[in-house]
Amino acid sequence: MRRPSVRHVSLIVRTEARRRIRALSGSPLRAVLLLLGGGLLVVFQLGLAVAVYFLADRIAAGSTLPLARVVAAGAWTLFVVVTAVSIVSNRSSYDAMDGLLTTVPAADVATAMVFTEAGGAVLPFAPSVVLAPAAFGLATGSFRAALAGFVGLACLFATATLTGFVAGFAVKNLAVRSAFVARFRGVLAALVFLAYLAVITTQTGGQVAGPVARAVAATPVAWFADLALLPVAPVSVLAGVGALALSVCVAVGALAVVFPLTEALWYADRARPAARSTGSAATTTVTPGAFARLDGGPAGWIAHKSVLRARRAPVKLLFLAYPLFALVSPIGQAVQSGVVPALLAAYVAVYAAWAAGAGFALNPLGDEGAALPVSATSGVRGRTFARGHLLATAVVGAPIALVVTAVVGSFSPLAPVAVAALVVASAGLCVGAGGVAAGVGSVLPRFEAVRVTRSRRATVPSLLAFVVYSVVLLVTASPAMAVAVPLVRDWLAGALGAGDTTLLVAGTAVSLLLVGIAGYLGYRLAANRFDDYTV
Amino acid sequence: MDPAIEATDLTKRYGDEAAVADLSLSIPDGSVYGFLGPNGAGKTTTMRMLTTLTRPTSGTARVAGADVRDRPAVVEHIGYLPEEPPVFDELTGREQLEYAAGLRDVGGDAAGRIDELLDRFGLSADADKRIGAYSKGMKQKVGIAIAILHEPAVLFLDEPTSGLDPRAARTVREVLAELAAGETTVFLSTHILPVVDELADTVGVLSEGRLVAEGAPDDLKSQVAEGGGGTLEDVFLAVTGGPESVESSPAEGASVVDGEGTAEAAEDGGGTDASTRERP
C-alpha cells in the first residue's frame, strides 16, 4: 500500500480544524458553553496537578500503586469508549466525503481522521499529560519521574485513542451492513438513551463503572501506571517495559487494521431498511384516520398528518426528553424511598401537557418544511391550520396526561381529591398547551434543520420558542401545581382560611382559566401568522 | 375575457436591490407561458408574488381575476409546484395525496382521482411506501400530482421536469399539454428549453429582474436567425447577454427589450396581447 501523503494529511486535518472552529464562531452560544466547559476542565486538571504535587511522596512510596492501576485502567477504558462512540455516531466520515475520496487516496483520509480524532479526544486533556507529570517531577525533584509520567500518560492516551478508533470503525462496519440495525436504528438509539437515563436517575454510574475499571486493571492496560512511576516508585520494571511494548503493539496493530477497516466502511454496500409501507390495504381513503369523527375537514387532516409524522419520525421529538433530566433527583428519591413525592406527581401532570403541546404544535410553520408554500396556498385558512394542531395536541395528549397523572398521583401521598384535581388540570393544560405552543411557535419559528443526534438532522422548534412556551405554560400551571403540594396548600389554607378542597378547586380553576386565555390568544396568533405567511 | 394572469409594473425590492422590476404580463386563459431566465433573474420571486407568497413592493397583479394581495381569493384557483417537492418524508405517496385532497376539500371521487394520478405517474406500485425512500424524480412526480390534483384554473410550475427520467418527463409534458388543451393556464418556469419549445404558446425571458423578451417561440427564434434555424437557446443567450446578439428586426408577434428597457416591438401595429405588448 502506498504511504499516506504528509501534505494531504496535513491539509485535511488543518481544513477540518478550521471548519470546526468556524462552525463554533457561527454559534456563539455553543462557543460560550464550550469555553465554559473547557475552562472547568482546565481548572479540574490544575487541581489534579496540585493534588499530584502534594501526594507525590505517597505515590512515590508505592502505597497508591493499586489505586493508580485502577485509575489508569478506568481512564483508558473511558477514552476507548468515548472515541469509539464518537466514531460510530458521527465521526466515521468527513463532510463532502465523496469529494475527498475521489481526490486523494483513502489512506490519506484515514490517517487524517486518526489525527483529527486523536486531536479532538486528547486536546482537552493535554494539560493533564503535561501538568501532572511536571508537578510529580517538581515534588520528587526528579526529571526522570516527570519524563516517565509524561511517557506513561502519553502512551495511555495514544493507545486508548487508537483502540477506540479501531473499535469504532469495526462496530460501524458491522452496523452499516446489518439490516436489523438499519431497520431499528431509532429504537436502538432510544434504548441506549433510556439505559443512560436509568443509570443517571438511579445514580448507579459508579456501580457500573467500578467493576469494569477493576476488570481492565487486571489486564496489561494497568501497566501504564507502572510505566509512569517507573523511576521513583517500587513498581514492576517488567510491567513498565511491558507497557511500552504494549504501546508499540497497539500502534502497529492499529495501523495494520485501520486502513482496511476505514476503506471497508467508506466503500461499503450499506444495508438499507426495506421501504416501509403502511401495512394497510392499498386503497385510497379520503378521511383523516381517527380524526374523521372529530373533524373530517382540513383541520382533521392537519392533525392526522402531524400525528403520523411524529409517530414515524420520533427522533424529531427527542427534545421532549430534555425536561426529564429534571426528574433525575425525584425519581432517584422515589426509587430509594419507595414513595412518589407529591412534587413529582405535580411535575408529571405539567410535563405531560407541556410535551403534548411541544411535540405537536411548537413549530407549526417550520415543521411544514418544503410543503409550507403549498400549504399556505392550499386555501386552508389560518384558524383551520391552528385548529388542526390543537386537535392533535388535545386528542393525543389529554388521554395520556390523564392516565399518567392518575397513575403517578395514586402512588404519591396525595389525597384522592388532590390527585383528581391534578388529573383535571393536566388534561385541561393539554388542550390549552396546543394553542400556546402554536402561537409561540408561529411567532418564533425555526425553518432550518438542526442536528438532533450526531448523525440525524431535523427541523425542531427554536430555542427561544422552547423557552417562551415553557415559561408561559409553567406560569399558567403554577396555581394548580401549588395547591397540589401539601406544604404549599397548608400554608395557603392558613393564610386564606380556606379548606383543602376549596383551594384545590380554586387553584385548578385559575390554572384552567389562565391556560384557556393564553391558549386562545396563541391560537389566534398562529392563525394570523399562517394567513399572513410570506417569504 | 380577462387574462388568467395579468401583471402591471410588478416590482419587488429587497432594500435598494430590485429582484423584479416593472414586470408586465398578460397571459390568456388556457395557454402555456414559458418563463425563462438565468439563475438569479427573479423568476422564483415572480412566481412567489403571483402565488401570494411574496408581497409585491409596487405594481399590481391578478391571477384568475383575483388580486395577488388577496390570498384566499387567489389560492382557490391555483396549483403550485415549488422548486423543492412539497412532500413529507414520513408519509407515503398515497397518504401525501390524500392529505393534499383533504386540505383542498377535493369533493367528488377524490379517491379515484388520486388513484388515477398515481397510475398516470407510474407511482401505483410504490404508493404505500414512505416518500423518504423515494427517488428525487418520484418525489417530483408526487409534487406535480399534488399541484394538479384539484384541477386548478392556473398552474404554477417551478422546474417540473427537474430530476425526472426521460419517460417521466414525457409523461409530465403530456399531462401539461392535456391541461393546456383544456382550460388550464400553465405558468412554467424551467431551464429545460426543449420543454418550453414544445409546450409554450408564449415565452417570456427575464434577466436581472426585467422582462427582456416575450413572444411565441417561433417568432423569437426567427429573430436570432434570419431565414430560420434559430433555437430558444440562441434567443436565451442573445437576450440575456450571451455571445449572440439580436441584430435582426423583431419578427412579427415578438418583442425584444434592450438593456435599458426600451422595447423593439414587431411592426404589426403594436397589438396588446401577450405576444406583442410593448413594455416600458
Side-chain angles (χ1 to χ4, degrees), chain B residues 43-225:
Chain B
K43 299 190 299 295
T44 300
T45 304
T46 302
M47 201 172 271
R48 283 178 178 161
M49 285 194 284
L50 295 176
T51 54
T52 75
L53 290 168
T54 293
R55 291 208 176 91
T57 307
S58 62
T60 60
R62 302 183 78 78
V63 173
D67 191 317
V68 293
R69 289 178 174 83
D70 183 357
R71 178 175 291 172
V74 171
V75 298
E76 192 182 320
H77 305 286
I78 66 168
Y80 176 39
L81 174 73
E83 204 168 355
E84 192 179 344
V87 294
F88 298 120
D89 282 354
E90 302 85 7
L91 302 190
T92 67
R94 190 191 306 279
E95 287 170 346
Q96 182 76 58
L97 289 174
E98 289 169 352
Y99 173 64
L103 291 190
R104 285 281 185 187
D105 270 331
V106 176
D109 184 17
R113 172 89 175 133
I114 291 169
D115 288 338
E116 176 200 324
L117 285 170
L118 287 169
D119 187 49
R120 184 73 195 268
F121 286 107
L123 290 167
S124 294
D126 298 305
D128 298 299
K129 290 176 182 165
R130 291 194 198 169
I131 290 173
Y134 281 17
S135 67
K136 186 183 174 192
M138 290 164 79
K139 288 180 182 177
Q140 186 76 350
K141 286 192 269 188
V142 175
I144 296 169
I146 290 169
I148 64 175
L149 179 67
H150 55 293
E151 299 177 339
V154 183
L155 187 57
F156 291 92
L157 302 172
D158 201 345
E159 294 289 355
T161 51
S162 167
L164 298 183
D165 60 48
R167 186 182 298 278
R170 163 58 59 188
T171 304
V172 170
R173 291 203 296 275
E174 287 171 1
V175 168
L176 295 184
E178 280 172 27
L179 289 168
E183 292 179 346
T184 307
T185 306
V186 181
F187 190 89
L188 174 65
S189 170
T190 180
H191 287 298
I192 302 175
L193 302 182
V195 173
V196 176
D197 207 0
E198 182 183 336
L199 293 174
D201 300 304
T202 308
V203 173
V205 185
L206 200 67
S207 181
E208 296 179 357
R210 291 180 180 278
L211 196 65
V212 290
E214 188 181 57
D218 288 342
D219 295 338
L220 287 174
K221 283 187 281 186
S222 68
Q223 291 177 57
V224 292

Side-chain angles (χ1 to χ4, degrees), chain A residues 46-367:
Chain A
L46 278 172
L48 194 70
V50 171
V52 167
Y53 181 82
F54 286 110
L55 294 173
D57 287 346
R58 289 176 64 187
I59 295 170
S63 60
T64 55
L65 185 61
L67 178 64
R69 284 177 172 159
V70 173
V71 169
W76 189 87
T77 310
L78 184 67
F79 265 83
V80 169
V81 171
V82 167
T83 309
V85 167
S86 167
I87 292 291
V88 170
S89 58
N90 188 42
R91 303 265 191 228
S92 60
S93 70
Y94 289 122
D95 288 344
M97 198 64 173
D98 290 349
L100 265 180
L101 290 176
T102 51
T103 307
V104 296
D108 292 3
V109 185
T111 310
M113 194 169 281
V114 170
F115 280 106
T116 306
E117 285 310 308
V122 174
L123 204 61
F125 298 96
S128 282
V129 178
V130 176
L131 292 178
F136 190 54
L138 207 63
T140 56
S142 165
F143 173 73
R144 288 195 309 146
L147 186 64
F150 174 76
V151 171
L153 285 177
C155 285
L156 184 150
F157 281 121
T159 54
T161 304
L162 283 172
T163 307
F165 193 83
V166 169
F169 268 97
V171 171
K172 186 83 179 181
N173 263 295
L174 290 174
V176 299
R177 287 172 171 78
S178 162
F180 176 81
V181 174
R183 176 80 175 83
F184 295 104
R185 197 172 162 190
V187 177
L188 291 172
L191 286 176
V192 169
F193 177 74
L194 284 177
Y196 171 71
L197 204 63
V199 168
I200 297 288
T201 50
T202 54
Q203 298 170 1
T204 52
Q207 291 169 34
V208 174
V212 173
R214 280 192 290 277
V216 177
T219 70
V221 169
W223 295 344
F224 289 117
D226 295 76
L227 174 61
L229 303 174
L230 195 58
V232 288
V235 296
S236 162
V237 175
L238 199 63
V241 174
L244 280 175
L246 177 68
S247 301
V248 173
C249 288
V250 168
V252 171
L255 282 178
V257 297
V258 78
F259 297 118
L261 272 176
T262 49
E263 286 198 42
L265 178 68
W266 294 335
Y267 296 106
D269 288 331
R270 294 171 181 240
R272 293 175 186 279
R276 280 167 281 182
S277 71
T278 52
S280 57
T283 53
T284 305
T285 58
V286 284
T287 52
F291 291 93
R293 288 182 186 171
L294 296 162
D295 189 329
W301 278 102
I302 288 163
H304 178 59
K305 175 264 299 176
S306 298
V307 173
L308 266 185
R309 293 186 70 207
R311 203 175 72 205
R312 292 178 185 173
V315 72
K316 283 196 304 186
L317 304 182
L318 201 62
F319 74 95
L320 297 182
Y322 297 161
L324 288 178
F325 284 103
L327 291 177
V328 167
S329 174
I331 288 180
Q333 282 175 29
V335 170
Q336 283 166 9
S337 66
V339 177
V340 175
L343 194 60
L344 181 60
Y347 187 96
V348 165
V350 178
Y351 172 75
W354 176 90
F360 292 114
L362 193 47
N363 194 22
L365 298 177
D367 194 43

Side-chain angles (χ1 to χ4, degrees), chain A residues 8-21:
Chain A
H8 288 163
V9 170
S10 155
L11 183 61
I12 296 169
V13 171
R14 279 186 287 123
T15 307
E16 186 61 20
R18 189 182 300 137
R19 285 186 63 233
R20 291 187 188 183
I21 291 166

Side-chain angles (χ1 to χ4, degrees), chain B residues 9-21:
Chain B
D9 298 334
L10 196 63
T11 299
K12 179 65 186 180
R13 288 186 172 279
Y14 293 103
D16 292 336
E17 196 174 334
V20 175

